[in-house]
Amino acid sequence: MLSENIDVFSFIPDSIADALVSRNPPLLDLMVEKVREHGKCITVSEDEIVESRKILAENGYCVEYSSATVHAAATKISRVEDGALVLTGNGLKAL
């Protein structure tokens, strides 16, 4: 559960998934509300992002690292086969 006094700006790391790193996310209030509502948020490491991008590339999907976070998170869910993964980034700019 998130703390009521969450300071989302106290820790903003550099990331290979640089498109997802923001100091002013436009939907921050909605994101915090949804995490509080559902009680969970899946996080992924840099290594998991790199591995997911590699797996996606091996299967013919050229995506940027920020998009590979979706696959990395999905691998942590037991029922991935029942859903769809939205991969929005073009990997050509990450080559």
Side-chain angles (χ1 to χ4, degrees):
M1 197 53 113
L2 291 175
S3 164
E4 290 297 320
N5 298 321
I6 188 170
D7 179 8
V8 296
F9 303 110
S10 63
F11 178 72
I12 300 178
D14 290 328
S15 175
I16 195 164
D18 60 346
L20 301 180
V21 178
S22 174
R23 294 197 176 276
N24 189 19
L27 300 175
L28 178 61
D29 292 338
L30 179 61
M31 289 186 287
V32 171
E33 174 189 324
K34 292 302 175 186
V35 171
R36 284 190 175 132
E37 180 181 322
H38 297 284
K40 45 180 131 166
C41 178
I42 300 170
T43 60
V44 296
S45 70
E46 296 290 298
D47 289 341
E48 290 168 323
I49 296 168
V50 170
E51 180 63 19
S52 282
R53 185 169 184 263
K54 178 182 170 193
I55 291 168
L56 289 166
E58 289 169 348
N59 286 281
Y61 298 97
C62 184
V63 301
E64 64 180 79
Y65 291 104
S66 299
S67 238
T69 61
V70 174
H71 180 270
T75 63
K76 297 181 175 189
I77 301 171
S78 62
R79 295 182 53 199
V80 175
E81 70 276 359
D82 291 343
L85 303 181
V86 179
L87 306 172
T88 60
N90 181 334
L92 296 177
K93 59 186 167 188
L95 294 177

